[in-house]
Amino acid sequence: MDEHVRRDWGRRLRSRRSNFFTQEKLAEIVGTDQSIISKIETGNPNYRISDDMKWKIAGALGCTVDDIFPYPA
């Protein structure tokens, strides 16, 4: 996946999440670890976010998947 796409996804997630939750709280809500949220937000190339996780994150933040992850992986 393009590194620019990963970074953009991370910026979008961080911007939306920081209005509502800490990384820890979002991770708890979606059933993952804080380090996973951090990896997504930093665009870590060693972590590939699943479609299921995208849906869970969007649902927790009250938005659509396309609001945070608008480009194909």
Side-chain angles (χ1 to χ4, degrees):
M1 174 190 312
D2 185 281
E3 128 182 31
H4 298 291
V5 170
R6 284 183 180 277
R7 282 197 215 142
D8 186 56
W9 284 1
R11 279 191 296 270
R12 288 169 179 269
L13 174 56
R14 185 173 32 261
S15 175
R16 180 139 334 223
R17 180 214 28 96
S18 66
N19 292 322
F20 303 101
F21 305 115
T22 62
Q23 285 184 349
E24 293 82 3
K25 185 64 177 174
L26 179 59
E28 178 185 322
I29 291 167
V30 301
T32 193
D33 189 74
Q34 176 272 329
S35 66
I36 297 299
I37 302 300
S38 177
K39 287 176 183 180
I40 298 167
E41 288 188 1
T42 60
N44 186 315
N46 297 318
Y47 178 74
R48 177 160 164 69
I49 185 171
S50 69
D51 289 339
D52 184 57
M53 183 58 67
K54 290 176 189 176
W55 282 99
K56 287 179 181 180
I57 288 171
L61 296 175
C63 62
T64 68
V65 171
D66 284 343
D67 288 336
I68 301 173
F69 308 104
Y71 317 107

